[in-house]
Amino acid sequence: MTFKKQSDLKKALYIVWGIIAVMGQVLVLIPFIIDEKVLLKSTPVCTASLSGEGSCLFCGLTRGFIALSKGMIEEALLWNKFSLLIFLFFLINFIIFTFSLIYLKNK
């Protein structure tokens, strides 16, 4: 791979990381901003649970994020056992991305 292609690849990966970081942060912030009832009416019901196949990895994640926004960690884990982990991943990823932007700007 040439130097130009490596540079372009780094830029592209950084842009993708930024998009994922911002989208993740939006998902973290939505339960704090939008009313719970409005949010639950706006989100679809899982097709796996509707078809009777059980639950998928993301079942209960919206309700888990809502519970986390209210500080109810145990309830969030009851809705989805990965909700806290995913919530923290999105939050920490956004913080690291923001610091990388500041670092690169000052470099």
Side-chain angles (χ1 to χ4, degrees), residues 32-104:
F32 291 95
I33 299 168
I34 298 177
D35 181 59
E36 177 181 347
K37 292 177 184 175
V38 173
L39 185 57
L40 290 174
K41 283 183 180 180
S42 303
T43 54
V45 177
C46 179
T47 55
S49 63
L50 283 176
S51 64
E53 296 175 14
S55 62
C56 73
L57 180 64
F58 302 105
C59 282
L61 201 56
T62 301
R63 292 178 191 271
F65 274 29
I66 291 170
L68 287 170
S69 73
K70 295 177 181 179
M72 297 186 280
I73 296 172
E74 290 178 11
E75 183 180 332
L77 294 174
L78 290 174
W79 282 111
N80 184 308
K81 62 183 175 182
F82 300 111
S83 59
L84 179 61
L85 184 66
I86 295 170
F87 189 90
L88 290 175
F89 170 78
F90 284 149
L91 184 63
I92 292 168
N93 185 47
F94 183 76
I95 291 168
I96 292 171
F97 179 75
T98 302
F99 278 115
S100 75
L101 280 178
I102 293 168
Y103 173 75
L104 288 176

Side-chain angles (χ1 to χ4, degrees), residues 20-33 65 90 94:
I20 292 170
V22 170
M23 288 175 63
Q25 189 60 27
V26 168
L27 291 174
V28 166
L29 290 175
I30 282 176
F32 291 95
I33 299 168
F65 274 29
F90 284 149
F94 183 76

